[in-house]
Amino acid sequence: MTSDTHQHQRSRLSARLSYSNFEVAINAFLHQTRHHTPWSYVEYSPRRGQPLQGYLTLTKLVHSHHASSGAPSTSTGTLSTGARIRTIDPADQLLLDELAEQLDDIPDGEQEEEADPVVENSTSTTTFDYLSVNYHIVFSPSYQVPVLYFNAYRPDGPAISLEEIYESLVPEEWRGAVRDAGLNGGISQQDHPVLNTPYFYMHPCETVPLMETILQNNGSPSGTPFLENYIVTWLSFTGQAIGVSVPTDMVATNG
Amino acid sequence: MPPQPGQGRTPAAASSNSTSANNTSTTSAPHNPIAKVIWEGSIPIQFSWDKAEAAAVGSSAVESFFYEAQRCSYFSLLTSHVRKHFVDMALHFIGDDAEVWYDYEGTPLKWHYPIGLLYDIHGLQASSGRGMNGSLLPWKVTVHFQNFPGDKLIKSQAVDICQDYFMAMIKEADYLRNGTTKKVMNMSKSDQTQLWDGLSSNNYDRFWGMNYKLMQNDGVMARNLPIRIYLPENCPVIQEPVSPIDDKEQPKTLRQILNASLPDLFPLVETGPPVAGAMIHGIIPSLDTSAIWASQNMSYPDNFLHVVIIFK
């Protein structure tokens, strides 16, 4: 659509991304995080005859704050590492072992992280209560920015409620701010734009002003890899609020 | 750039009388016969209790609930009426509005879509166009009070969640038109509430008294038109920024918009009988209709033009 060429020229250095800029940004991000966090690129065909598009996904295990009956919950505050785990089902142990390898790579700088998957045997027989969380970074054609979608599931299948999302994924110090954000709180559900099933998401309308501020403060266009660092920068703000972030030594420090 | 003359007229360009009603902040809606007809469009629905659920509470023979639903409304706004009917009919049963869900021939209905849009997608598609003369009506919808399919439907279709979703769409439409959501975010709380109140109480004047300001956009041409296009079989919804004018600065037609997203179905020059049509509010308008005009006059209350692709 030719009326978009004007937009494309502007978006060479802009907080708003064209889809092709988004592709550049997520590929750069994949490269940057390849040793730290196992983000994957998922390709899809929007519809017949259209070029393929993509988005990023990540799956993590997170300790649930809805501990099963009898289990002492770690704390009612921020998720802490080293949550006490009692006994584990063998199938879960396998999953944890696989993820432990990846989780070990993350530097200690991480704050709201998932539970340290080290099992301590004890006399108590309470089940480990964790959630499997999927994060997706998907392009929004309306807002022209990345949007963070996510869902969390119990091991036996059911997806969790918004309240449980707040309690398990949103650090306590963020909860008030997230709830008060915008018209309807910072987190809502909508149909995933590709999968067309319900997903939670972080409202994107604050992303453009945020990224514009960063763009201004990061100085001159020449030599500043704004696009290559877009996702890292954006995620370091957006992701903190719901339990995913980037290792602190990776956050862009330009200018 | 001001809206184009002729087909680009906004509802506000028509005569308006702003007498204030009981509420001092309400202005009367400008007179716009198209918007009024669309607002008043309705579909008769026959709600039947899911047989298995009804039997489980010993109520197998409960009568259906017939209701004339506004096309522009949402199932969430009907739920309390629906539930009341079945609670009155059955013993030992209360139910919870947030657990209620609806299906049509086994497909859960997305409560966050306007009722008219759902009917155009499910009812008419299922009949392959047969429904144009109303042979599918009343629309036979099944009500459920348990086993909410959280993997398929957004949770809790309680009314406040519906309002949140509705306002998110209004915000997004504003963003598409203006590149910011400032207009909506700067609306006073009572103005925002007036939009939802007008819709939920089916009060045309109350709703359009506020909405026309959003639609008219201070006379500024929209950057992009808020349009969503629905293909059959649960395809992802097509929502791409669409400029209202082409590279010759002429207002685009619906044909041009559809051609950009679906060139095979909507060629710019028709070489044979058309294979597909675009249905809005149950009618198939001419593809030569100005897209800006359609956006300003035929959008749903959430400010989006929801277009369902019908195969001929």
Side-chain angles (χ1 to χ4, degrees):
Chain A
M1 295 199 286
T2 48
S3 49
D4 289 336
T5 43
H6 178 53
Q7 232 175 355
H8 180 66
Q9 285 161 11
R10 272 192 289 121
S11 69
R12 208 176 300 145
L13 197 64
S14 163
R16 273 173 248 236
L17 304 176
S18 63
Y19 178 76
S20 53
N21 282 349
F22 173 75
E23 275 276 351
V24 170
I26 57 176
N27 280 296
F29 180 70
L30 274 178
H31 184 76
Q32 289 155 0
T33 55
R34 69 197 186 282
H35 296 309
H36 297 271
T37 350
W39 286 92
S40 308
Y41 180 89
V42 174
E43 204 166 45
Y44 68 99
S45 170
R47 54 192 177 277
R48 215 177 319 149
Q50 294 287 316
L52 295 176
Q53 295 193 340
Y55 59 94
L56 296 184
T57 67
L58 173 72
T59 301
K60 284 170 66 169
L61 290 191
V62 171
H63 186 260
S64 165
H65 266 207
H66 274 247
S68 35
S69 57
S73 52
T74 48
S75 72
T76 53
T78 322
L79 286 176
S80 52
T81 54
R84 289 187 301 277
I85 301 159
R86 304 300 162 163
T87 58
I88 293 191
D89 183 274
D92 295 343
Q93 180 65 67
L94 201 59
L95 185 57
L96 284 171
D97 286 348
E98 282 173 16
L99 278 164
E101 287 179 35
Q102 293 160 349
L103 292 170
D104 281 348
D105 290 344
I106 296 178
D108 292 339
E110 298 273 60
Q111 289 301 309
E112 26 326 290
E113 264 317 314
E114 61 279 19
D116 182 349
V118 171
V119 180
E120 300 168 5
N121 287 321
S122 81
T123 51
S124 166
T125 54
T126 330
T127 319
F128 173 36
D129 202 6
Y130 65 90
L131 304 172
S132 170
V133 190
N134 299 333
Y135 296 98
H136 292 198
I137 300 178
V138 189
F139 183 67
S140 164
S142 296
Y143 289 96
Q144 295 187 281
V145 292
V147 178
L148 189 57
Y149 287 87
F150 54 98
N151 259 341
Y153 305 89
R154 305 206 158 285
D156 46 358
I160 68 174
S161 68
L162 182 58
E163 266 316 303
E164 290 179 83
I165 293 271
Y166 273 103
E167 283 179 36
S168 298
L169 296 182
V170 183
E172 191 181 20
E173 64 269 21
W174 281 83
R175 278 178 213 160
V178 175
R179 273 191 225 268
D180 293 341
L183 271 178
N184 23 336
I187 298 175
S188 294
Q189 267 189 316
Q190 70 166 341
D191 289 327
H192 188 289
V194 179
L195 304 174
N196 216 15
T197 52
Y199 264 74
F200 290 101
Y201 74 111
M202 302 293 293
H203 282 281
C205 46
E206 294 308 309
T207 300
V208 170
L210 171 71
M211 296 306 289
E212 272 171 359
T213 307
I214 293 169
L215 186 57
Q216 279 164 19
N217 294 341
N218 272 353
S220 65
S222 60
T224 309
F226 177 70
L227 195 55
E228 283 74 19
N229 287 319
Y230 192 107
I231 303 290
V232 166
T233 310
W234 161 78
L235 193 60
S236 67
F237 285 94
T238 311
Q240 282 186 77
I242 41 120
V244 63
S245 56
V246 291
T248 46
D249 60 352
M250 280 184 51
V251 177
T253 48
N254 300 310
Chain B
M1 188 172 165
Q4 301 294 307
Q7 285 184 321
R9 287 183 83 199
T10 65
S15 62
S16 80
N17 41 325
S18 42
T19 53
S20 46
N22 309 326
N23 190 332
T24 50
S25 66
T26 309
T27 45
S28 281
H31 175 67
N32 181 339
I34 307 279
K36 195 107 212 300
V37 161
I38 286 173
W39 180 269
E40 289 172 347
S42 64
I43 297 172
I45 303 182
Q46 177 179 353
F47 290 98
S48 303
W49 198 346
D50 173 75
K51 288 191 170 48
E53 280 182 29
V57 300
S59 302
S60 327
V62 173
E63 287 170 30
S64 299
F65 177 55
F66 290 85
Y67 192 85
E68 187 82 20
Q70 305 304 117
R71 270 182 158 273
C72 286
S73 187
Y74 295 84
F75 275 109
S76 305
L77 292 171
L78 308 185
T79 292
S80 59
H81 301 298
V82 172
R83 187 161 68 82
K84 183 171 193 312
H85 166 87
F86 289 104
V87 165
D88 287 350
M89 291 278 147
L91 300 169
H92 315 299
F93 175 70
I94 311 284
D96 175 0
D97 278 357
E99 294 299 312
V100 174
W101 57 285
Y102 304 92
D103 85 66
Y104 174 68
E105 295 193 343
T107 303
L109 296 176
K110 292 183 192 281
W111 58 261
H112 59 290
Y113 283 10
I115 294 174
L117 173 62
L118 286 167
Y119 180 70
D120 290 345
I121 291 172
H122 293 283
L124 291 177
Q125 285 297 329
S127 70
S128 310
R130 193 179 13 106
M132 280 291 286
N133 57 1
S135 60
L136 269 194
L137 299 173
W139 191 21
K140 294 177 184 49
V141 171
T142 305
V143 189
H144 300 260
F145 293 91
Q146 327 170 346
N147 300 318
F148 189 93
D151 55 331
K152 299 205 178 78
L153 294 181
I154 296 175
K155 285 187 191 32
S156 181
Q157 55 147 12
V159 173
D160 54 346
I161 303 290
C162 188
Q163 179 178 2
D164 284 350
Y165 190 88
F166 175 79
M167 292 308 296
M169 292 295 277
I170 296 254
K171 232 178 17 171
E172 189 172 346
D174 192 35
Y175 191 89
L176 283 164
R177 279 191 295 256
N178 294 310
T180 80
T181 54
K182 270 199 216 117
K183 206 187 219 82
V184 174
M185 297 305 277
N186 284 343
M187 283 169 72
S188 69
K189 197 81 175 70
S190 67
D191 283 354
Q192 289 176 16
T193 309
Q194 185 179 332
L195 277 175
W196 177 252
D197 280 351
L199 175 67
S200 55
S201 59
N202 194 19
N203 185 329
Y204 172 82
D205 284 328
R206 194 157 163 73
F207 177 78
W208 270 101
M210 191 53 55
N211 193 51
Y212 97 94
K213 291 184 207 166
L214 294 176
M215 274 300 174
Q216 189 225 1
N217 210 33
D218 300 323
V220 176
M221 172 76 75
R223 283 160 68 130
N224 290 299
L225 297 177
I227 298 182
R228 283 166 63 92
I229 304 173
Y230 301 80
L231 287 164
E233 265 145 61
N234 210 30
C235 255
V237 180
I238 299 175
Q239 188 174 337
E240 290 155 357
V242 174
S243 169
I245 52 178
D246 61 19
D247 45 356
K248 299 185 186 63
E249 310 234 325
Q250 293 304 302
K252 284 185 185 166
T253 59
L254 287 181
R255 187 191 307 278
Q256 285 171 286
I257 304 278
L258 292 166
N259 170 264
S261 298
L262 298 162
D264 294 339
L265 295 179
F266 297 95
L268 284 175
V269 179
E270 272 174 32
T271 50
V275 299
M279 174 169 287
I280 310 174
H281 297 295
I283 62 162
I284 301 184
S286 160
L287 291 178
D288 295 321
T289 306
S290 153
I292 311 171
W293 184 91
S295 170
Q296 289 172 340
N297 291 280
M298 295 184 72
S299 287
Y300 282 74
D302 62 8
N303 281 213
F304 270 81
L305 197 63
H306 297 281
V307 180
V308 179
I309 305 303
I310 303 288
F311 289 91
K312 302 202 170 176

